[in-house]
Amino acid sequence: MTRSPRPFRFAVQEHSAPSAEAWRDNARLVESLGYKALYLPDHFGHQLGPIAALMAAADATTTLRVGSLVFDNDYRHPVVLAKEVATLDLLSGGRFDLGLGAGWMALDYERSGIPLDSPGVRIERMEEGLAILEGLLAGGPFSFSGKHYRITSLEGHPSPVQKPHPPVLLGGGGRRMLRVAAREADIVNINFDLREGRVNPALIRSGLADATDEKVAWIREAAGDRFDHIELSATIFFASITDDRDSVAAVLASRLGSDPGDLLETPHFLIGTLDEIVDSLRERRERYGISYVILPGEVTETFAPVVERLSGT
């Protein structure tokens, strides 16, 4: 990487809670431990509804950002989503991050009956959805005529606190999606290639070190002059502080059909002692430019020392 490294930031991705009190307490814990944001995905399985839950988390905290990681564009018309996003940003006092995606989990579509179009069609529709979101959030009458949506002289209400709109987070693991993200997003979340819609060995291979190098190259090429203004992030799907990283990596690799050494270099896994994990994150920032690290909710407390040591550095 040739650009100056960005300071580290950390966020948590959560899914659920047994009660309203537990959800609020967890949001306060995330904030108190130095994490900058609390995110929720957007699926139909075992998770809270993201819009209501993110608002509750914002109400329970004072500085913590909340956001979608990510809203599936196919699940809500962009006019409907624009109003929800503006309301979330207004009522949180300008603490909302807008994560948007084209949808990927085949099981969600199969069980809900929502048509699962090809990745290209879904990405094309998401691009139009993002244009509508940004147009309505910017204020004033907005019209749009595309292949998938048509908007006529609609003015978005309420007005968001963050101008012209909340920060946009887009992510993916395929070339087309990452090129869109490079052109449009404030935060680009580098992910596995999810085009097959299911977790399998091919998906795991798409997140390995060499594949990530290629993804960063796609982002750099598509972003052009704006590359230095993009924050690169990665979601950690498995994290463990341990004195025996090789054994943990071997067990995980056997489950995923991969090589332990490859997994230790993959930016979506963090395994090792506190010092080893700190070193890994610094090495990944140097290699890929990834400075925004999103951890799974189950390690919020155990990884607090990592957050304390690296945040802002």
Side-chain angles (χ1 to χ4, degrees):
M1 302 298 298
T2 57
R3 67 178 187 175
S4 299
R6 282 176 173 260
F8 280 109
R9 292 201 302 154
F10 292 86
V12 168
Q13 184 180 47
E14 269 293 1
H15 291 79
S16 193
S19 67
E21 182 180 8
W23 178 249
R24 291 191 296 266
D25 286 346
N26 188 53
R28 295 186 189 105
L29 176 66
V30 170
E31 181 179 54
S32 71
L33 294 176
Y35 294 91
K36 297 302 181 184
L38 174 63
Y39 291 145
L40 271 170
D42 190 19
H43 296 296
F44 297 143
H46 186 69
Q47 71 152 90
L48 298 172
I51 293 172
L54 291 172
M55 191 64 250
D59 264 350
T61 55
T62 56
T63 62
L64 186 70
R65 298 189 66 81
V66 297
S68 49
L69 190 66
V70 291
F71 285 137
D72 185 329
N73 181 71
D74 287 344
Y75 298 165
R76 302 167 193 82
H77 192 285
V79 169
V80 175
L81 185 57
K83 182 172 284 291
E84 299 291 352
V85 167
T87 302
L88 279 163
D89 197 57
L90 176 67
L91 298 184
S92 69
R95 290 186 281 138
F96 183 71
D97 291 344
L98 171 56
L100 188 69
W104 73 274
M105 188 178 287
L107 194 60
D108 276 350
Y109 288 86
E110 292 165 3
R111 290 181 173 175
S112 68
I114 296 173
L116 178 61
D117 293 320
S118 69
V121 169
R122 298 199 309 272
I123 292 171
E124 180 182 69
R125 188 162 51 230
M126 187 216 68
E127 288 186 77
E128 290 192 10
L130 178 61
I132 293 166
L133 285 167
E134 292 181 342
L136 291 172
L137 292 168
F142 175 74
S143 297
F144 180 89
S145 181
K147 183 177 179 180
H148 302 279
Y149 303 109
R150 183 179 298 273
I151 312 299
T152 305
S153 299
L154 181 63
E155 189 164 354
H157 290 287
S159 179
V161 172
Q162 299 176 96
K163 304 297 183 183
H165 50 71
V168 172
L169 183 157
L170 300 177
R175 182 169 185 170
R176 181 172 178 180
M177 187 64 205
L178 286 173
R179 288 177 66 84
V180 172
R183 294 192 300 266
E184 303 292 340
D186 302 292
I187 305 167
V188 176
N189 188 255
I190 299 171
N191 205 343
F192 295 100
D193 188 331
L194 303 172
R195 74 183 67 193
E196 294 189 28
R198 291 174 172 82
V199 177
N200 56 31
L203 181 146
I204 299 302
R205 288 193 297 272
S206 75
L208 299 181
D210 289 347
T212 305
D213 287 330
E214 186 174 38
K215 292 169 192 175
V216 174
W218 293 338
I219 296 166
R220 180 187 290 275
E221 178 186 25
D225 292 342
R226 73 186 302 268
F227 182 71
D228 286 345
H229 302 288
I230 294 172
E231 185 174 36
L232 297 182
S233 68
T235 302
I236 307 299
F237 294 99
F238 180 85
S240 174
I241 295 179
T242 174
D243 292 329
D244 191 359
R245 71 192 308 230
D246 291 336
S247 294
V248 174
V251 171
L252 182 63
S254 68
R255 295 173 182 170
L256 299 177
S258 188
D259 177 79
D262 288 341
L263 288 191
L264 290 174
E265 293 186 4
T266 300
H268 308 293
F269 302 96
L270 272 177
I271 304 169
T273 64
L274 174 59
D275 288 340
E276 288 171 336
I277 285 171
V278 166
D279 289 344
S280 291
L281 289 172
R282 286 174 174 156
E283 290 166 2
R284 293 171 188 181
R285 183 175 63 177
E286 178 67 24
R287 178 172 180 174
Y288 310 120
I290 295 170
S291 59
Y292 192 16
V293 182
I294 303 167
L295 290 160
E298 60 265 24
V299 301
T300 298
E301 292 185 80
T302 57
F303 268 70
V306 178
V307 175
E308 182 179 15
R309 187 180 295 191
L310 287 180
S311 290
T313 66

